[in-house]
Each structure stands twice: as structure tokens, then as C-alpha cells.
Amino acid sequence: PTGKEECECLAIDLGGTNLRCILVSLKQGREPVLKERKAVVPISVQQGTGKDLSGISKNKTKNSPID
């Protein structure tokens, strides 16, 4: 890294009970800015087969824009 990087990156963290979406904004010469949204993963998805997992990730990130 040179410190001249500029971009926005979306990090998605899916834990056992929560889904976190973090938008990281990098601008040259500035500290990184992090904006975060959290959502609870429903029990039915936590205990399910995993088929609903992609749907919950897509719905939560689509319906909970990061300001």
C-alpha cells in the first residue's frame, strides 16, 4: 500500500446470530471511514440447511443501505 489508494469496499460478516455489512471508504491522505449496518439472522435461518442463507444476505444488504 502506498497511501494513495481510493476506493469503497463492502465487507460482509456473517456470524452465528448477526449479519454485519461494513462499507469502508478510502480516500488519499485521509483516515478510512467505516459505515456499518447490522441485522439479526432469524432462528429459522440459523438452524436451517443453509439454502436461505444467500437470500437473507441479499435481502439485508439490499434493503438496509449504508448511509
Side-chain angles (χ1 to χ4, degrees):
T2 64
K4 296 180 181 179
E5 295 80 13
E6 293 195 14
C7 67
E8 289 187 334
C9 301
L10 180 63
I12 299 175
D13 174 26
L14 178 61
T17 57
N18 293 304
L19 172 69
R20 292 188 315 148
C21 299
I22 305 164
L23 181 65
V24 181
S25 298
L26 300 176
K27 300 224 184 217
Q28 185 175 344
R30 296 184 184 178
E31 290 292 317
V33 175
L34 282 72
K35 297 177 182 177
E36 181 178 352
R37 290 275 189 229
K38 291 182 185 179
V40 175
V41 177
I43 295 288
S44 61
V45 174
Q46 293 176 31
Q47 297 175 351
T49 63
K51 289 183 179 182
D52 294 329
L53 198 52
S54 63
I56 187 107
S57 299
K58 184 170 40 170
N59 288 338
K60 293 298 182 184
T61 55
K62 182 179 178 184
N63 294 330
S64 298
I66 298 172
D67 297 327

